[in-house]
Amino acid sequence: NEALKNLLLRPDLDENGYRSSHSVVLAYAACGIASLMGWISEGTFYKLSMAAFLHDITLPSDEIAKVQSMPEFSLRRSQFSEEEMAAFMRHTDAAAELLACLPEVPANVDVILRQHHEQPDGKGFPKCLTYAQLSPLSCVFIVAHRMLNLEVGTDTKDQLLQFLGQLGPEYEKGTFGKIVNSIRLAVV
């Protein structure tokens, strides 16, 4: 698809930059979690991968793309221009709206894009949705996105168990609970 190719090969997206590498690792992590859940269809992997490559595509810089939450955004606000701040606040919807020019993108990728900064306790953004309101693939994507903050070292098993322990009780509910249990079973 020429439109998708042009979107992913924009000059402001450095192939060695944060957004590019972050997107590749996120696609891998999300598909890995889906595999642990038994969701191994080509369509599922395609949706998660497409969401990974598009989730931060409308952000103007790698620095603003590194911001993962509203509290972090508030703390770092003075580091960003008005343009960057406005783009960050709108990027979940802006990424989903790009799909209008990509008719071959399957259904629900837009949902993942719109929900990728939500949290199971309703403290995410932009809609403050809870675990019961999030799509299953969005839940996978959210956990994978959060997992990328791990610094992989020599004992990945230990780090994954620590990560799961840091998630809190809100990640034990609904689809999030199934995801956490699947990861835990794979690790132990």
Side-chain angles (χ1 to χ4, degrees):
N1 177 293
E2 197 65 28
L4 180 59
K5 176 183 160 191
N6 291 337
L7 189 62
L8 294 173
L9 295 177
R10 289 187 352 225
D12 66 312
L13 292 175
D14 177 5
E15 69 181 62
N16 298 311
Y18 172 79
R19 285 177 287 174
S20 297
S21 61
H22 172 73
S23 296
V24 170
V25 175
L26 180 55
Y28 182 77
C31 290
I33 291 171
S35 294
L36 293 176
M37 300 287 293
W39 301 344
I40 55 172
S41 74
E42 184 178 318
T44 294
F45 293 161
Y46 185 73
K47 288 175 186 183
L48 290 168
S49 296
M50 184 64 65
F53 287 110
L54 296 176
H55 80 289
D56 285 342
I57 196 119
T58 63
L59 292 172
S61 71
D62 281 352
E63 259 330 288
I64 192 74
K66 291 177 184 177
V67 176
Q68 299 300 311
S69 67
M70 285 309 290
E72 181 184 356
F73 178 72
S74 294
L75 287 172
R76 297 185 60 199
R77 194 177 202 112
S78 64
Q79 299 172 13
F80 302 114
S81 69
E82 290 295 323
E83 175 195 355
E84 288 173 312
M85 289 189 293
F88 181 77
M89 294 305 296
R90 191 165 148 46
H91 84 281
T92 57
D93 287 333
E97 290 164 7
L98 281 176
L99 300 184
C101 70
L102 305 170
E104 62 283 327
V105 174
N108 301 321
V109 173
D110 63 324
V111 173
I112 299 168
L113 294 173
R114 289 183 197 280
Q115 296 179 351
H116 80 270
H117 279 292
E118 299 290 349
Q119 294 297 316
D121 59 3
K123 293 181 181 173
F125 74 94
K127 303 261 190 262
C128 301
L129 302 174
T130 66
Y131 72 94
Q133 298 167 299
L134 296 167
S135 81
L137 289 182
S138 293
C139 296
V140 167
F141 198 87
I142 290 164
V143 172
H145 201 246
R146 186 149 177 197
M147 188 182 287
L148 295 189
N149 293 327
L150 283 175
E151 290 191 29
V152 178
T154 55
D155 193 353
T156 305
K157 176 182 173 181
D158 218 24
Q159 289 173 309
L160 280 171
L161 289 173
Q162 286 178 342
F163 166 74
L164 295 175
Q166 293 169 359
L167 288 178
E170 66 273 14
Y171 281 87
E172 296 295 330
K173 298 175 181 174
T175 303
F176 286 100
K178 294 174 185 172
I179 293 167
V180 168
N181 287 335
S182 294
I183 296 170
R184 189 173 286 123
L185 285 172
V187 172
V188 289

PDB file of all heavy atoms in Angstrom, residues 6 47 58 89 99 109 113 122 126 135 145 150 178 180:
ATOM      1  N   ASN A   6       4.300   5.407   2.515  1.00  0.00           N
ATOM      2  CA  ASN A   6       4.679   6.818   2.675  1.00  0.00           C
ATOM      3  C   ASN A   6       4.564   7.268   4.125  1.00  0.00           C
ATOM      4  O   ASN A   6       5.372   8.058   4.602  1.00  0.00           O
ATOM      5  CB  ASN A   6       3.829   7.709   1.772  1.00  0.00           C
ATOM      6  CG  ASN A   6       4.150   7.500   0.305  1.00  0.00           C
ATOM      7  OD1 ASN A   6       5.234   7.046  -0.058  1.00  0.00           O
ATOM      8  ND2 ASN A   6       3.196   7.797  -0.554  1.00  0.00           N
ATOM      9  N   LYS A  47      -3.129  -7.136  13.469  1.00  0.00           N
ATOM     10  CA  LYS A  47      -3.741  -5.993  14.161  1.00  0.00           C
ATOM     11  C   LYS A  47      -2.786  -5.409  15.204  1.00  0.00           C
ATOM     12  O   LYS A  47      -2.614  -4.190  15.288  1.00  0.00           O
ATOM     13  CB  LYS A  47      -5.046  -6.416  14.836  1.00  0.00           C
ATOM     14  CG  LYS A  47      -6.168  -6.677  13.870  1.00  0.00           C
ATOM     15  CD  LYS A  47      -7.394  -7.202  14.596  1.00  0.00           C
ATOM     16  CE  LYS A  47      -8.462  -7.606  13.614  1.00  0.00           C
ATOM     17  NZ  LYS A  47      -9.694  -8.063  14.297  1.00  0.00           N
ATOM     18  N   THR A  58       1.899   9.980  14.834  1.00  0.00           N
ATOM     19  CA  THR A  58       1.526  11.393  14.669  1.00  0.00           C
ATOM     20  C   THR A  58       2.294  12.319  15.605  1.00  0.00           C
ATOM     21  O   THR A  58       2.119  13.542  15.522  1.00  0.00           O
ATOM     22  CB  THR A  58       0.012  11.590  14.887  1.00  0.00           C
ATOM     23  OG1 THR A  58      -0.310  11.243  16.230  1.00  0.00           O
ATOM     24  CG2 THR A  58      -0.800  10.765  13.906  1.00  0.00           C
ATOM     25  N   MET A  89      -1.521  15.154  23.447  1.00  0.00           N
ATOM     26  CA  MET A  89      -2.874  15.043  23.981  1.00  0.00           C
ATOM     27  C   MET A  89      -3.843  14.446  22.956  1.00  0.00           C
ATOM     28  O   MET A  89      -4.820  13.825  23.313  1.00  0.00           O
ATOM     29  CB  MET A  89      -3.387  16.419  24.437  1.00  0.00           C
ATOM     30  CG  MET A  89      -2.626  16.982  25.620  1.00  0.00           C
ATOM     31  SD  MET A  89      -2.589  15.873  27.053  1.00  0.00           S
ATOM     32  CE  MET A  89      -4.315  15.798  27.467  1.00  0.00           C
ATOM     33  N   LEU A  99      -6.237   5.880   9.800  1.00  0.00           N
ATOM     34  CA  LEU A  99      -6.684   4.637   9.175  1.00  0.00           C
ATOM     35  C   LEU A  99      -7.719   4.865   8.082  1.00  0.00           C
ATOM     36  O   LEU A  99      -7.928   3.991   7.249  1.00  0.00           O
ATOM     37  CB  LEU A  99      -7.229   3.676  10.230  1.00  0.00           C
ATOM     38  CG  LEU A  99      -6.236   3.265  11.309  1.00  0.00           C
ATOM     39  CD1 LEU A  99      -6.855   2.240  12.237  1.00  0.00           C
ATOM     40  CD2 LEU A  99      -4.950   2.736  10.716  1.00  0.00           C
ATOM     41  N   VAL A 109      -8.190  -2.086  14.794  1.00  0.00           N
ATOM     42  CA  VAL A 109      -6.872  -1.477  14.992  1.00  0.00           C
ATOM     43  C   VAL A 109      -7.080  -0.068  15.532  1.00  0.00           C
ATOM     44  O   VAL A 109      -6.357   0.374  16.436  1.00  0.00           O
ATOM     45  CB  VAL A 109      -6.034  -1.465  13.690  1.00  0.00           C
ATOM     46  CG1 VAL A 109      -4.746  -0.670  13.882  1.00  0.00           C
ATOM     47  CG2 VAL A 109      -5.716  -2.897  13.252  1.00  0.00           C
ATOM     48  N   LEU A 113      -5.508   1.727  18.948  1.00  0.00           N
ATOM     49  CA  LEU A 113      -4.832   3.024  18.899  1.00  0.00           C
ATOM     50  C   LEU A 113      -5.474   4.033  19.850  1.00  0.00           C
ATOM     51  O   LEU A 113      -4.779   4.751  20.567  1.00  0.00           O
ATOM     52  CB  LEU A 113      -4.841   3.574  17.473  1.00  0.00           C
ATOM     53  CG  LEU A 113      -4.022   2.777  16.460  1.00  0.00           C
ATOM     54  CD1 LEU A 113      -4.252   3.307  15.049  1.00  0.00           C
ATOM     55  CD2 LEU A 113      -2.555   2.767  16.814  1.00  0.00           C
ATOM     56  N   GLY A 122      -8.915   2.998  35.281  1.00  0.00           N
ATOM     57  CA  GLY A 122      -9.557   4.225  34.804  1.00  0.00           C
ATOM     58  C   GLY A 122      -8.691   5.463  34.908  1.00  0.00           C
ATOM     59  O   GLY A 122      -9.155   6.572  34.654  1.00  0.00           O
ATOM     60  N   PRO A 126      -7.138   8.835  26.759  1.00  0.00           N
ATOM     61  CA  PRO A 126      -7.850  10.086  26.953  1.00  0.00           C
ATOM     62  C   PRO A 126      -9.241   9.932  27.577  1.00  0.00           C
ATOM     63  O   PRO A 126      -9.822  10.906  28.027  1.00  0.00           O
ATOM     64  CB  PRO A 126      -7.973  10.639  25.529  1.00  0.00           C
ATOM     65  CG  PRO A 126      -8.067   9.426  24.667  1.00  0.00           C
ATOM     66  CD  PRO A 126      -7.207   8.392  25.351  1.00  0.00           C
ATOM     67  N   SER A 135     -11.051  -3.146  25.014  1.00  0.00           N
ATOM     68  CA  SER A 135     -11.081  -4.333  24.163  1.00  0.00           C
ATOM     69  C   SER A 135      -9.970  -5.301  24.584  1.00  0.00           C
ATOM     70  O   SER A 135      -8.931  -4.869  25.101  1.00  0.00           O
ATOM     71  CB  SER A 135     -10.901  -3.940  22.693  1.00  0.00           C
ATOM     72  OG  SER A 135      -9.531  -3.738  22.389  1.00  0.00           O
ATOM     73  N   HIS A 145       2.998  -2.590  26.141  1.00  0.00           N
ATOM     74  CA  HIS A 145       3.537  -1.226  26.141  1.00  0.00           C
ATOM     75  C   HIS A 145       4.191  -0.927  27.492  1.00  0.00           C
ATOM     76  O   HIS A 145       5.295  -0.371  27.550  1.00  0.00           O
ATOM     77  CB  HIS A 145       2.391  -0.248  25.858  1.00  0.00           C
ATOM     78  CG  HIS A 145       2.819   1.077  25.354  1.00  0.00           C
ATOM     79  ND1 HIS A 145       2.645   2.224  26.076  1.00  0.00           N
ATOM     80  CD2 HIS A 145       3.407   1.453  24.190  1.00  0.00           C
ATOM     81  CE1 HIS A 145       3.095   3.257  25.371  1.00  0.00           C
ATOM     82  NE2 HIS A 145       3.561   2.813  24.231  1.00  0.00           N
ATOM     83  N   LEU A 150      10.807  -2.331  31.055  1.00  0.00           N
ATOM     84  CA  LEU A 150      11.762  -3.231  31.698  1.00  0.00           C
ATOM     85  C   LEU A 150      13.144  -3.033  31.093  1.00  0.00           C
ATOM     86  O   LEU A 150      13.272  -2.864  29.889  1.00  0.00           O
ATOM     87  CB  LEU A 150      11.382  -4.695  31.445  1.00  0.00           C
ATOM     88  CG  LEU A 150      10.251  -5.296  32.238  1.00  0.00           C
ATOM     89  CD1 LEU A 150       9.979  -6.713  31.735  1.00  0.00           C
ATOM     90  CD2 LEU A 150      10.573  -5.340  33.707  1.00  0.00           C
ATOM     91  N   LYS A 178      -6.203 -12.362  33.045  1.00  0.00           N
ATOM     92  CA  LYS A 178      -5.858 -13.508  32.193  1.00  0.00           C
ATOM     93  C   LYS A 178      -4.482 -13.318  31.555  1.00  0.00           C
ATOM     94  O   LYS A 178      -3.706 -14.268  31.438  1.00  0.00           O
ATOM     95  CB  LYS A 178      -6.931 -13.707  31.125  1.00  0.00           C
ATOM     96  CG  LYS A 178      -8.266 -14.117  31.711  1.00  0.00           C
ATOM     97  CD  LYS A 178      -9.346 -14.161  30.654  1.00  0.00           C
ATOM     98  CE  LYS A 178     -10.684 -14.463  31.312  1.00  0.00           C
ATOM     99  NZ  LYS A 178     -11.804 -14.332  30.406  1.00  0.00           N
ATOM    100  N   VAL A 180      -1.949 -11.435  32.778  1.00  0.00           N
ATOM    101  CA  VAL A 180      -0.949 -11.558  33.841  1.00  0.00           C
ATOM    102  C   VAL A 180      -0.736 -13.017  34.205  1.00  0.00           C
ATOM    103  O   VAL A 180       0.406 -13.477  34.348  1.00  0.00           O
ATOM    104  CB  VAL A 180      -1.364 -10.712  35.071  1.00  0.00           C
ATOM    105  CG1 VAL A 180      -0.507 -11.049  36.288  1.00  0.00           C
ATOM    106  CG2 VAL A 180      -1.265  -9.225  34.745  1.00  0.00           C
TER     107      VAL A 180
END
